[in-house]
């Protein structure tokens, strides 16, 4: 038998290969148990080295080496692997190996993974990208298997380097790659911390890729538990205290770098994986769950408060800050209410909602750590980071979410840093910003925050002293920025101390101040004006307009000019009426001149301000003011710039409502509105719908106008068109409301068709609410006979109503999680109101329509009846009781006798509807309804 006979791998026969390999230096005899049984390792290596001098057939040579190593596995074959590494190093840069070759090489090398040289060979193959994805997966799987990674320092380092270079696996299976690195980290701690650092840094780079891949079950918790275990083993009192030197680096440096790497991975996990923060709370601050954990087990708090390394404290603060910010939804998650009434809904900020007990303890634990760090930290860079974390906590869990004592202690510490001249300037500015953040996100009723503003020598006096400091270490813009933040929720309290704030803001708005300072000052005034507080008297407005806004309206910075106009737009009609004549004229001139500003952003705000104020008689009564407003909005509605056009169309609706026009002007407005309705931008179409609503309301009484007929036709088509943007559709439904009360109009049928289609077909709650409100304006009682067009369209209205009821009860409306309950409840009320209106339009003598077509089935009738009774405020079950002669029946009839005339009208209509209901005449419910009408309303 010739050596190598039977080889089927597509390579040359092994005998020829070996003859070339060994030349004449090795004598090969017929093997007894294998091809190379009588060839010594030394002879094989000598022959292979000779063969390796020629790069030809290196792939065959590598294959022979792998097979020889497998066959002679019980001997010391390290020289073969060293030669294999040398052959790989000599391969040209563009060389590739077949999949079969790499698979056999990997299989052989993994069998000897106890030998460090094998890992080095695999690393060399990975660096040259010679491995397939299957090869890399095999390597990673072997690394994850318990007991497969050696425990020597050098082997762990080589293993870490290898796994960090499995790029194909990292690209396609990042979770698998991270899991293998995770095992290396656990083995490396205390053996070779440099290897752990390499693996941790690689994991930090891989984590952002995880968001594109389905996360395996339990991955997040497993990863965070690994990081927690590593930190425990490195914490004071553990093996981290006795680290030896690695690669010439001092043990303390390795200790610091490894802990920072762990914390960076933890931060990255919380940034990219949604559930990581919740898991981190339970592991890194266990005391908050009543575990009575020892002090040294509170790893994150211990690192922040006791570590002597600035880098470690900074990285720990970064992890805590990310833990707080990523828990925002958990902190602000509202508690479920036990009531389901419409009146129970509020517009309170979600951050004001009560926290669960668990998350409250988390927030309080973080507050304690940060407050203590604010007191103890001496490094300015780290202290500035602590201050930023305090701001993050204020946003996620603002006062009074956590106990007042803890919040008060933190605020006292922040104010001490802010107003102390010896504190670093950056820290002072950060503390000032953090104070503003606390006020901006706190509930308005937080007592200790209110007292700090009210106190004569309190917060505002400190701000004023800091602002007027002759050698300020804190930029004045930061001071006014903090005041701006406080005004978000505490403008009323600031208004009561206006004598302190007003001179400061006037100075800040001086043209010689910086842009940032002027902008924060005018925004502060805007926040106060938007509060609608009792301090907004005509005197306050006069001072603001004459002292503050006069300079701001002509400021060189466009944002200051735009914000000053936005402030003027918030003035109330009552306050405007009490302004003196010269001030009112100044306001009108300022807004009109800003409407032609060179900056588009200023023009846009000015046009919106016209829409807000044009209805004020004192504003539009200024000479030529209304005419100028009309012209500005009309011209702006034809501009190509989308924002200007949309704002102009929206303001045009206010101009139309406030003015009186001749026919030619109405025609111009109608043309502009038609252009807006045909715009490619949905924002323009939605704004044009608002203008169309005002125009329809104005023109409706002028019968026979073609422009009105065409406009109603376009609006009705938009209401029914499901391809239109939802805001366009609900504005269209509201725009048709003025048409519905006028049944005799020739546009009435067109409007009714559009509204019925919107109610019947739309899957959006707000569109259906708009359609219901417009249809509910149908006149009651009907003034048109039984065979008129009203009968036909009443049937369409009932069918549209039933379609909406089915969708609502089937949960088919597309709603966001936050708005779902509020809009569903509102739609239910509107459907009930429409059912009541439609039933009141019918009479008890209503007959079956021509052609014998019945409007409703019995079940449909029952659904409608339940909504009618709900609108009347009468319990539905009483209908079933009125026929009884006992006390229950008497009480039910008494309840109905006390009902309003509306109930009588509605029940008469319901009986008329019953005549159009299949198989209802013999129903007991029908008998009870007749009894109610006859015995309860006519006695």
């Amino acid at each position: 038998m010739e050596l190598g006979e039977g080889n089927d791998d597509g390579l040359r026969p092994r005998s020829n290969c070996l003859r070339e390999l060994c030349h004449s230096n090795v004598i090969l005899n017929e093997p007894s148990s294998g091809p190379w049984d009588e060839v010594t390792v030394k002879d094989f290596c000598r022959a292979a080295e000779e063969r390796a001098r020629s790069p030809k057939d290196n792939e065959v040579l590598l294959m022979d080496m792998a097979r020889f190593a497998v066959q002679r596995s019980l001997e010391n074959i390290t020289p073969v692997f060293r030669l294999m590494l040398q052959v790989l190093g000599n391969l040209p840069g563009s060389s590739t190996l077949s999949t079969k070759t790499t698979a056999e090489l990997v299989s052989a090398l993994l069998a000897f993974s106890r030998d460090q040289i094998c890992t080095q060979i695999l690393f060399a193959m990975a660096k040259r990208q010679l491995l397939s994805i299957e090869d890399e997966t095999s390597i990673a799987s072997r690394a994850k298997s318990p007991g497969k990674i050696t425990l020597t320092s050098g082997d762990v380092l080589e293993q870490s380097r290898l796994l960090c270079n499995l790029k194909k696996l990292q690209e396609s299976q990042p979770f698998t790659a991270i899991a293998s690195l995770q095992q290396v980290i656990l083995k490396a701690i205390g053996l070779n911390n440099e290897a752990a650092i390499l693996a941790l840094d690689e994991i930090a780079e891989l984590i952002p890729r995880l968001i594109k891949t389905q996360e395996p079950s339990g991955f997040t918790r497993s990863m965070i538990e690994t990081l927690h275990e590593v930190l425990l083993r490195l914490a004071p009192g553990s093996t981290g205290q006795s680290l030896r030197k690695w690669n010439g680096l001092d043990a303390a440096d390795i200790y610091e770098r490894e802990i920072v790497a762990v914390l960076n991975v933890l931060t990255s996990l919380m940034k990219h994986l949604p559930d990581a923060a919740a898991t981190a709370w339970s592991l890194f601050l266990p005391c908050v769950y009543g575990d009575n954990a020892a002090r040294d087990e509170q790893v994150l708090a211990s690192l922040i408060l006791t570590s002597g390394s600035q880098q470690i404290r900074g990285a720990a603060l970064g992890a805590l800050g990310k833990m707080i910010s990523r828990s925002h939804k958990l902190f602000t998650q509202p508690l479920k209410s036990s009531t389901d009434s419409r009146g129970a809904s509020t517009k309170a900020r979600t951050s004001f909602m009560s926290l669960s007990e668990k998350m409250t303890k988390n927030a309080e634990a973080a507050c304690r750590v940060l407050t203590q760090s604010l007191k103890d930290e001496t490094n300015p860079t780290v202290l500035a980071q602590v201050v930023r974390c305090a701001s993050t906590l204020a946003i996620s869990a603002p006062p009074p979410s956590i106990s007042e004592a803890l919040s008060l202690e933190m605020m006292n510490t922040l104010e001490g840093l802010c107003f102390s001249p010896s504190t670093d300037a950056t820290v002072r500015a950060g503390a000032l910003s953090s104070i503003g953040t606390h006020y901006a996100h706190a509930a308005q009723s937080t007592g200790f925050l209110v007292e700090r503003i009210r106190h004569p020598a309190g917060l505002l006096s400190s701000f004023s002293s800091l602002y007027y400091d002759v050698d300020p270490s804190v930029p004045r813009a930061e001071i006014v920025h903090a005041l701006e933040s406080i005004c978000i929720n505490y403008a009323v309290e600031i208004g009561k101390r206006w004598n302190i704030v007003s001179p400061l803001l006037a100075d800040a708005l001086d043209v010689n101040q910086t842009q940032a300072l002027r902008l924060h000052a005018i925004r502060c005034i805007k926040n106060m004006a938007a509060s609608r507080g009792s301090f907004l008297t005509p005197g306050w407005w006069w001072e603001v307009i004459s002292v503050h806004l006069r300079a701001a309206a002509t400021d060189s910075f466009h944002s200051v000019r735009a914000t000053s106009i936005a402030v003027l737009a918030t003035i109330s009609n009552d306050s405007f009426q009490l302004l003196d004549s010269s001030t009112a004229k100044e306001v009108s001139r300022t807004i009109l001149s800003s409407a032609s500003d060179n900056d588009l952003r200023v023009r846009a705000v000015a046009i919106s301000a016209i829409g807000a104020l044009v209805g004020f008689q004192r504003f539009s009564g200024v000479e030529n003011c209304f005419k100028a407003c009309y012209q500005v909005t009309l011209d702006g509605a034809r501009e190509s710039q989308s924002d200007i056009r949309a704002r102009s169309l929206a303001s045009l609706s206010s101009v139309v409502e406030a003015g009186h026009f001749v026919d030619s002007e109405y025609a111009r407005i109608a043309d502009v509105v038609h252009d807006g309705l045909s715009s490619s931008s949905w924002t323009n179409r939605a704004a044009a719908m608002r203008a169309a609503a005002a125009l329809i309301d104005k023109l409706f009484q002028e019968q026979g106008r073609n422009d009105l007929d065409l406009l109603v036709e376009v609006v009705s088509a938009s209401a029914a068109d499901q391809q239109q943007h939802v805001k366009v559709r609900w504005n269209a439904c509201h725009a048709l409301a003025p048409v519905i009360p006028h049944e005799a109009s020739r546009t009435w049928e067109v409007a009714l068709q559009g509204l019925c289609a919107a109610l019947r077909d739309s899957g959006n709650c707000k569109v259906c609410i708009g359609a219901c409100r417009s249809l509910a304006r149908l006149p009651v009682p009907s003034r048109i006979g039984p065979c008129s067009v009203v009968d036909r369209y009443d049937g369409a209205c009932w069918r549209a109503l039933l379609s909406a009821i089915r969708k609502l009860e089937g949960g088919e409306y597309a709603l966001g999680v936050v708005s779902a309950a509020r809009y569903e409840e509102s739609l239910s009320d509107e459907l009930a109101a429409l059912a009541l209106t439609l039933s009141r339009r019918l009479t008890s003598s209503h007959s079956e329509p021509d052609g014998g077509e019945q409007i409703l089935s019995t079940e449909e009738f029952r659904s409608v009846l339940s909504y009618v009774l709900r609108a009347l405020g009468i319990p539905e079950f009483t209908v079933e009781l009125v026929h009884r002669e006992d006390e229950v029946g008497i009480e039910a009839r008494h309840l109905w006798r006390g009902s309003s005339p509306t109930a009588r009208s509605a029940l008469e209509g319901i009986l008329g509807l019953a005549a159009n209901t299949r198989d209802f005449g013999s129903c007991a419910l029908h008998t009870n309804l007749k009894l109610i009408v006859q015995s309860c309303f006519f006695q």
Side-chain angles (χ1 to χ4, degrees):
M1 177 180 177
E2 190 177 13
L3 188 64
E5 190 174 46
N7 181 37
D8 60 353
D9 57 6
L11 302 175
R12 291 175 299 164
R14 188 170 290 136
S15 59
N16 295 335
C17 180
L18 284 176
R19 289 193 185 97
E20 292 182 14
L21 173 66
C22 302
H23 291 183
S24 58
N25 299 323
V26 180
I27 301 174
L28 299 177
N29 298 321
E30 187 75 15
S32 58
S33 60
W36 292 309
D37 283 350
E38 297 183 8
V39 179
T40 65
V41 173
K42 182 177 180 181
D43 289 338
F44 184 91
C45 290
R46 185 180 59 191
E49 187 174 359
E50 183 71 21
R51 179 69 184 86
R53 292 175 183 174
S54 173
K56 184 180 180 181
D57 297 328
N58 274 336
E59 184 169 349
V60 178
L61 177 58
L62 289 170
M63 182 74 76
D64 283 339
M65 289 180 178
R67 289 171 176 171
F68 181 82
V70 171
Q71 184 175 343
R72 309 295 280 275
S73 59
L74 298 179
E75 301 179 35
N76 180 16
I77 54 173
T78 301
V80 178
F81 288 130
R82 287 177 180 166
L83 186 58
M84 186 183 293
L85 184 61
Q86 180 182 341
V87 172
L88 281 170
N90 293 334
L91 288 176
S94 58
S95 297
T96 59
L97 299 177
S98 69
T99 303
K100 286 186 178 181
T101 300
T102 59
E104 192 158 348
L105 287 174
V106 169
S107 178
L109 292 168
L110 288 178
F112 295 91
S113 57
R114 65 179 184 273
D115 199 330
Q116 190 179 131
I117 190 68
C118 295
T119 308
Q120 292 175 353
I121 295 171
L122 291 171
F123 172 73
M125 295 176 70
K127 286 286 286 184
R128 296 174 66 93
Q129 297 184 0
L130 297 175
L131 299 174
S132 66
I133 182 63
E134 291 79 10
D135 297 333
E136 294 190 357
T137 303
S138 299
I139 294 170
S141 299
R142 181 63 61 91
K144 290 192 296 181
S145 301
K148 296 299 182 180
I149 300 179
T150 56
L151 298 179
T152 64
S153 169
D155 286 344
V156 170
L157 180 60
E158 293 298 336
Q159 191 79 22
S160 181
R161 292 174 61 208
L162 169 61
L163 294 175
C164 288
N165 280 276
L166 301 181
K167 300 304 180 182
K168 294 176 182 176
L169 181 68
Q170 293 174 4
E171 188 66 33
S172 61
Q173 302 176 41
F175 285 103
T176 302
I178 289 177
S180 63
L181 290 166
Q182 188 178 345
Q183 294 300 319
V184 169
I185 294 170
L186 291 173
K187 298 295 183 182
I189 300 300
L191 291 174
N192 192 316
N193 292 67
E194 188 69 31
I197 293 172
L198 281 175
L200 287 163
D201 289 344
E202 191 68 25
I203 289 175
E205 293 183 10
L206 287 174
I207 287 173
R209 302 182 189 177
L210 300 182
I211 57 176
K212 302 177 182 178
T213 312
Q214 181 66 36
E215 179 184 347
S217 176
F219 171 83
T220 299
R221 185 166 191 86
S222 172
M223 193 67 226
I224 292 181
E225 285 175 348
T226 298
L227 298 176
H228 180 247
E229 181 180 345
V230 171
L231 284 183
L232 284 180
R233 289 161 66 173
L234 292 172
S238 67
T239 55
Q241 289 276 345
S242 58
L243 292 175
R244 303 192 303 271
K245 292 182 180 181
W246 296 106
N247 297 334
L249 297 173
D250 185 78
D253 180 61
I254 288 285
Y255 169 77
E256 178 182 285
R257 288 171 55 208
E258 186 164 10
I259 290 183
V260 169
V262 171
L263 294 170
N264 288 341
V265 171
L266 177 62
T267 304
S268 185
L269 275 172
M270 291 187 290
K271 179 179 179 181
H272 294 95
L273 298 181
D275 298 330
T279 305
W281 281 111
S282 63
L283 288 173
F284 289 90
L285 288 174
C287 61
V288 303
Y289 301 112
D291 295 341
N292 297 319
R295 178 73 175 179
D296 59 356
E297 290 181 1
Q298 301 172 27
V299 182
L300 210 55
S302 179
L303 293 174
I304 293 172
L305 298 176
T306 64
S307 175
S309 166
Q310 172 187 337
Q311 283 73 22
I312 291 176
R313 297 198 305 275
L317 284 165
L320 180 59
K322 186 60 66 177
M323 197 186 312
I324 294 169
S325 64
R326 294 296 287 179
S327 301
H328 178 73
K329 290 183 179 179
L330 299 175
F331 281 132
T332 58
Q333 187 174 12
L335 300 177
K336 291 185 178 180
S337 174
S338 58
T339 61
D340 192 28
S341 62
R342 185 179 183 183
S345 62
T346 64
K347 294 183 179 179
R349 301 162 65 110
T350 54
S351 56
F352 299 161
M353 301 291 186
S354 299
L355 306 186
S356 66
E357 181 180 357
K358 177 179 177 180
M359 295 313 297
T360 298
K361 289 182 178 180
N362 284 338
E364 290 181 347
C367 186
R368 289 190 189 94
V369 172
L370 292 174
T371 302
Q372 191 62 44
S373 183
L374 286 171
K375 295 176 181 178
D376 298 345
E377 185 58 59
T378 57
N379 184 281
T381 303
V382 179
L383 187 55
Q385 194 171 355
V386 181
V387 171
R388 288 194 295 273
C389 279
S391 297
T392 304
L393 181 63
I395 294 171
S396 295
S401 300
I402 53 182
S403 70
E404 182 173 318
L406 286 172
S407 297
L408 182 59
E409 185 179 6
M410 176 173 278
M411 286 294 290
N412 285 334
T413 309
L414 287 170
E415 289 182 15
L417 290 171
C418 175
F419 301 122
S420 172
S422 61
T423 306
D424 178 80
T426 303
V427 175
R428 294 182 73 185
L432 191 62
S433 176
S434 184
I435 291 170
T437 303
H438 275 78
Y439 275 93
H441 291 83
Q444 298 179 10
S445 58
T446 307
F448 75 93
L449 294 179
V450 173
E451 288 302 320
R452 295 176 113 71
I453 297 176
R454 290 179 178 175
H455 197 280
L459 193 66
L460 294 184
S461 297
S462 300
F463 273 27
S464 180
S465 300
L466 192 62
Y467 181 88
Y468 290 113
D469 193 340
V470 292
D471 186 22
S473 59
V474 179
R476 287 181 169 179
E478 293 292 341
I479 300 171
V480 181
H481 188 195
L483 188 61
E484 174 196 341
S485 299
I486 295 173
C487 285
I488 293 174
N489 286 322
Y490 291 85
V492 174
E493 298 300 329
I494 299 292
K496 294 175 182 177
R497 307 281 290 168
W498 180 245
N499 60 318
I500 297 177
V501 176
S502 179
L504 186 153
L505 294 177
D507 181 80
L509 286 168
D510 188 272
V511 294
N512 296 317
Q513 302 289 8
T514 63
Q515 281 187 357
L517 178 56
R518 302 198 308 272
L519 181 58
H520 289 310
I522 195 64
R523 284 177 175 173
C524 182
I525 294 174
K526 180 184 177 183
N527 289 342
M528 296 186 71
S531 70
R532 302 296 183 185
S534 58
F535 66 91
L536 298 173
T537 61
W540 185 90
W541 275 109
W542 178 87
E543 181 180 348
V544 166
I545 292 169
S546 58
V547 177
H548 303 92
L549 298 186
R550 185 170 291 163
T554 57
D555 196 278
S556 59
F557 186 31
H558 66 84
S559 291
V560 175
R561 297 199 304 276
T563 308
S564 69
I565 301 302
V567 172
L568 291 175
T570 62
I571 190 171
S572 68
N573 190 17
D574 292 340
S575 296
F576 201 90
Q577 295 298 332
L578 295 175
L579 292 177
D580 61 88
S581 177
S582 61
T583 305
K585 288 181 180 178
E586 183 177 357
V587 171
S588 300
R589 287 195 297 268
T590 300
I591 291 177
L592 287 172
S593 62
S594 297
S596 58
D597 194 280
N598 292 329
D599 194 283
L600 286 174
R601 290 159 289 194
V602 179
R603 289 176 58 199
V605 176
I607 290 170
S608 293
I610 288 174
L613 302 181
V614 73
F616 297 178
Q617 184 178 358
R618 190 74 182 279
F619 176 84
S620 56
V622 175
E623 184 180 0
N624 294 325
C625 178
F626 182 83
K627 183 178 181 180
C629 291
Y630 164 71
Q631 195 60 49
V632 165
T633 53
L634 211 60
D635 294 343
R638 295 185 181 277
E639 284 207 16
S640 58
Q641 211 282 331
S642 183
D643 187 39
I644 295 290
R645 191 176 183 188
R647 288 175 183 256
S648 298
L649 285 165
S651 294
L652 183 59
S653 64
S654 300
V655 172
V656 171
E657 290 171 357
H660 300 281
F661 306 94
V662 298
D663 287 355
S664 59
E665 291 171 330
Y666 277 130
R668 288 183 63 194
I669 295 171
D671 289 342
V672 168
V673 171
H674 278 296
D675 288 344
L677 292 175
S678 61
S679 171
S680 59
S681 167
W682 71 262
T683 54
N684 291 342
R685 297 197 302 274
M689 278 297 174
R690 293 176 56 187
L695 189 58
I696 289 171
D697 200 25
K698 277 278 184 179
L699 295 179
F700 192 79
Q701 299 305 322
E702 300 181 22
Q703 301 296 326
R705 296 185 59 97
N706 292 328
D707 49 359
L708 178 60
D709 294 348
L710 179 59
L711 188 59
V712 171
E713 217 174 287
V714 173
V715 173
S716 180
S718 297
D721 186 359
Q722 300 305 306
Q723 301 303 315
Q724 287 278 12
H725 191 277
V726 64
K727 289 188 177 181
V728 177
R729 283 184 278 144
W730 80 55
N731 280 354
C733 290
H734 289 298
L736 294 172
V739 183
I740 298 304
H742 306 281
E743 297 171 324
S745 166
R746 67 183 184 182
T747 58
W748 183 83
E749 290 185 48
V750 176
L752 199 66
Q753 285 176 337
L755 290 171
C756 286
L759 180 60
R760 182 185 65 246
D761 301 331
S762 178
N764 183 274
C765 236
K766 293 182 72 175
V767 173
C768 291
I769 290 172
C772 278
R773 288 175 179 171
S774 295
L775 287 171
R777 296 185 65 179
L778 284 164
V780 178
S782 174
R783 297 189 298 272
I784 302 180
C787 298
S788 68
V789 68
V790 176
D791 291 300
R792 298 199 307 272
Y793 282 107
D794 273 2
C797 292
W798 282 112
R799 283 187 287 272
L801 173 67
L802 280 165
S803 174
I805 289 173
R806 290 193 193 99
K807 284 188 289 185
L808 179 63
E809 294 177 347
E812 297 179 24
Y813 285 105
L815 293 166
V817 175
V818 176
S819 61
R822 177 160 56 96
Y823 284 124
E824 283 183 345
E825 187 69 21
S826 178
L827 177 57
S828 182
D829 289 345
E830 297 299 340
L831 290 173
L834 178 57
L836 181 61
T837 299
L838 293 177
S839 64
R840 293 177 65 201
R841 284 171 57 80
L842 300 172
T843 64
S844 58
S845 60
H846 234 63
S847 60
E848 187 175 313
D850 293 341
E853 181 185 356
Q854 293 169 314
I855 297 177
L856 306 175
S857 68
T858 301
E859 288 304 315
E860 290 171 339
F861 179 86
R862 287 179 181 274
S863 295
V864 169
L865 178 62
S866 67
Y867 273 83
V868 172
L869 295 179
R870 173 179 173 178
L872 292 172
I874 299 175
E876 186 175 349
F877 67 86
T878 59
V879 178
E880 305 293 343
L881 303 177
V882 292
H883 72 283
R884 293 173 54 168
E885 296 301 330
D886 57 7
E887 291 183 4
V888 175
I890 294 172
E891 182 65 27
R893 289 192 293 274
H894 178 73
L895 181 65
W896 276 96
R897 288 189 185 107
S899 301
S900 65
T902 301
R904 170 184 170 178
S905 172
L907 262 292
E908 286 184 317
I910 282 291
L911 288 176
L913 182 63
N916 290 275
T917 299
R918 291 189 296 272
D919 304 323
F920 190 72
S922 59
C923 179
L925 180 60
H926 189 200
T927 304
N928 293 341
L929 291 173
K930 281 187 174 181
L931 180 62
I932 290 172
V933 173
Q934 292 169 2
S935 65
C936 297
F937 292 140
F938 292 99
Q939 282 191 352

